[in-house]
Amino acid sequence: LTFPLLSATLLVSFGSSMLYGYNLAVVNSPAVHIKAFYNATWSQRYGHGLAPGPLTLLYSLTVSIFALGGLVGSLLVGVLVEQYGRNGALSRSALLVLLAGGFMGFSWELGSPEMVIIGRSITGLHSGICLSVVPLYLGEIAPKNLRGFLGLVPSIFICLGVFSAQVLSLPQLLGKERFWPLLLSVVVVPASLQLLLLHCFPESPRYLLIERNDICGAIKALHRFLGTPDVQDVIEEMKEEQRSLSSMEMVSVWQLLRDRSVRWQTLSVVVVNAGMQLSGIDAIWFYTNTIFENAGIPVSQIPYTTVGTGAIEVIAGLIGCFTIEKVGRRPLIIIGFCAMGICSAGITVSLLLQAALPWMRYISVTCVIGIIAGFCMGPAGVPFLMTAELFTQSHRPAAYIVGGSLNWLCNFTIGFIFPFLQMSAGAFCYLVFCGVCLLVALYVYLIIPETKNKTFMEISHIFA
């Protein structure tokens, strides 16, 4: 593990992946203040406030439009990584965060709820690009024995982003009513750092050699990342992949979906990415305070309970990162989904019984923590890593578009309908998440092979 390799991993994880986690959780605590701002602005414009239904709808749109932006961003990944490369796509996407931060930061001053919604959609666009490009870049610059470790570093930073949003949302920091625009626009700091420093690191050597046929550039990049003059074995492995793809251009999404030779890889990406979002983790992140309030936690204690769950996320992410090369991809993701499914059922049971047994509220909190820990240990990062590992260079960008699009579409669906699902189904809504988690765990156990310490060509041959 060389210093340039670790530095590049930490930089893109801090400047991109962490912003995804931050933006997922940042709207949770200031929800009351944002709704009050919407109501006051509406009253100034039209002479009357918003009814509870339309206000909930407007706030749900603010939360979930982040995912719609992400969906658009994920659809642009193929074009961006082909035209600008992996490093270049990440550098340019940082400019979107600066734009979004300006919109959200000045929304209160200008009395414009529309600026909050536009800013959220632009941050979603950035996250949609980076959520696919970061693991793609890291998967291609990392040697095979470090691919799992480096591939899960972004998931730790996603958890750190969630934790940062929870800490900054405390009443003693930026949780006061007048500070919520600043809370939403803090994202410009990590993005600016990435914009300034990322050009110091080389482009993906695999992209340079296989797609640009730039052998000298690939060798220089490998020397820098691997810290050794002897890179001939890696170059030969890349050339072998290039020869196998010589008669094949980069495939489109439609070609990928029709290609029978990779149908199980494609189906695996679909199941795991959709399952990751339909597991209910976004409902937990978006509406943590509401869930704890329904569980009977005193309002004054909720912000600190939420911060506690964020700390556990980071610890679980670290455990996953440092055990993936020993345990493997499959066991981590199976254990994670099983834990999430069991804890979702536990929330239903505890909510149903807490009227008779008040102490069951603590079981609810424990189950929420279990869902978050299970997710951060495996499902948070392994699906993106597996998408890079299951496909060769020609199919990889299209696979990320498919996985990313489903990821964001399901994210939007959960973020938008969860408040209404909770109102109509009550405690039983968590049983839906339980079923999804257990079915995905069963699919991974039966279908997906272990990819630890294997080259991309070896993995392709296993599926064939």
Side-chain angles (χ1 to χ4, degrees):
L1 181 63
T2 63
F3 181 73
L5 196 58
L6 183 61
S7 300
T9 303
L10 293 176
L11 180 62
V12 297
S13 299
F14 176 71
S16 296
S17 302
M18 193 170 85
L19 302 190
Y20 168 66
Y22 186 89
N23 285 307
L24 275 178
V26 74
V27 290
N28 178 40
S29 289
V32 176
H33 305 317
I34 295 173
K35 286 179 181 178
F37 167 65
Y38 286 178
N39 211 18
T41 306
W42 196 273
S43 184
Q44 286 173 4
R45 289 181 184 179
Y46 305 108
H48 60 86
L50 282 161
L55 185 58
T56 301
L57 184 63
L58 191 59
Y59 181 71
S60 293
L61 178 64
T62 305
V63 172
S64 55
I65 202 164
F66 173 72
L68 278 185
L71 175 61
V72 175
S74 66
L75 294 173
L76 297 174
V77 165
V79 175
L80 292 174
V81 296
E82 190 175 345
Q83 184 167 350
Y84 301 114
R86 284 62 166 146
N87 185 305
L90 288 172
S91 297
R92 287 164 174 80
S93 68
L95 296 170
L96 293 170
V97 182
L98 306 185
L99 180 64
F103 271 105
M104 295 185 292
F106 292 105
S107 59
W108 187 80
E109 293 286 338
L110 300 175
S112 174
E114 296 85 358
M115 291 177 69
V116 181
I117 295 171
I118 292 169
R120 285 280 295 169
S121 66
I122 296 173
T123 56
L125 183 66
H126 168 264
S127 291
I129 295 167
C130 295
L131 206 59
S132 293
V133 180
V134 168
L136 180 60
Y137 182 53
L138 297 183
E140 291 184 1
I141 67 173
K144 65 182 180 181
N145 62 310
L146 289 174
R147 211 163 53 219
F149 170 72
L150 295 181
L152 278 198
V153 170
S155 69
I156 294 175
F157 276 83
I158 291 172
C159 297
L160 276 171
V162 173
F163 181 59
S164 301
Q166 291 164 343
V167 171
L168 291 175
S169 298
L170 289 173
Q172 293 85 348
L173 297 174
L174 300 180
K176 297 183 177 67
E177 183 176 5
R178 65 182 183 277
F179 289 143
W180 66 262
L182 180 59
L183 182 67
L184 295 182
S185 58
V186 163
V187 289
V188 300
V189 177
S192 300
L193 193 65
Q194 178 175 290
L195 191 62
L196 288 171
L197 299 179
L198 192 55
H199 67 89
C200 300
F201 296 95
E203 183 52 81
S204 157
R206 193 169 289 273
Y207 166 80
L208 291 171
L209 192 149
I210 297 175
E211 294 186 38
R212 288 286 177 260
N213 205 29
D214 181 2
I215 297 176
C216 292
I219 291 172
K220 286 180 183 177
L222 285 171
H223 285 163
R224 178 85 189 281
F225 281 130
L226 302 184
T228 173
D230 184 18
V231 295
Q232 196 56 41
D233 290 345
V234 186
I235 291 291
E236 286 303 318
E237 187 255 317
M238 290 184 193
K239 284 183 175 178
E240 181 190 348
E241 186 175 342
Q242 186 186 39
R243 283 192 293 271
S244 72
L245 301 173
S246 57
S247 60
M248 184 185 298
E249 295 183 358
M250 301 298 288
V251 303
S252 66
V253 171
W254 180 240
Q255 289 171 321
L256 175 73
L257 296 176
R258 295 181 62 193
D259 191 343
R260 294 175 64 84
S261 67
V262 293
R263 61 187 171 186
W264 282 107
Q265 291 98 311
T266 305
L267 182 60
S268 299
V269 166
V270 168
V271 170
V272 175
N273 277 277
M276 179 171 65
Q277 298 301 335
L278 296 177
S279 66
I281 188 63
D282 287 315
I284 299 291
W285 272 335
F286 287 153
Y287 302 104
T288 308
N289 285 17
T290 306
I291 292 168
F292 285 159
E293 194 174 329
N294 291 340
I297 303 299
V299 175
S300 60
Q301 295 179 19
I302 286 176
Y304 306 100
T305 310
T306 304
V307 168
T309 63
I312 290 167
E313 288 172 33
V314 177
I315 294 168
L318 287 167
I319 291 171
C321 186
F322 286 102
T323 58
I324 188 169
E325 292 298 352
K326 293 180 181 178
V327 175
R329 281 71 158 147
R330 286 176 76 246
L332 268 186
I333 202 166
I334 291 169
I335 291 167
F337 273 113
C338 285
M340 292 170 74
I342 293 166
C343 290
S344 294
I347 291 178
T348 298
V349 173
S350 60
L351 289 176
L352 291 174
L353 295 179
Q354 80 177 34
L357 303 169
W359 55 269
M360 290 298 288
R361 72 180 65 170
Y362 301 110
I363 302 297
S364 295
V365 175
T366 304
C367 289
V368 168
I369 291 170
I371 290 172
I372 291 172
F375 179 77
C376 291
M377 197 177 294
V382 175
F384 301 108
L385 171 63
M386 288 175 66
T387 304
E389 292 184 330
L390 297 185
F391 293 91
T392 53
Q393 194 81 7
S394 59
H395 291 69
R396 204 171 288 135
Y400 269 107
I401 292 173
V402 171
S405 301
L406 272 171
N407 194 308
W408 287 103
L409 198 58
C410 295
N411 182 308
F412 171 78
T413 303
I414 293 297
F416 191 75
I417 70 168
F418 180 72
F420 304 100
L421 183 66
Q422 202 174 31
M423 284 190 283
S424 59
F428 293 101
C429 68
Y430 298 98
L431 290 181
V432 177
F433 304 140
C434 170
V436 170
C437 290
L438 296 181
L439 285 172
V440 174
L442 181 64
Y443 177 89
V444 174
Y445 177 76
L446 294 175
I447 301 296
I448 299 180
E450 182 55 67
T451 56
K452 180 178 69 172
N453 275 342
K454 294 181 173 64
T455 67
F456 296 126
M457 292 301 292
E458 287 169 346
I459 295 165
S460 181
H461 291 151
I462 291 171
F463 268 100

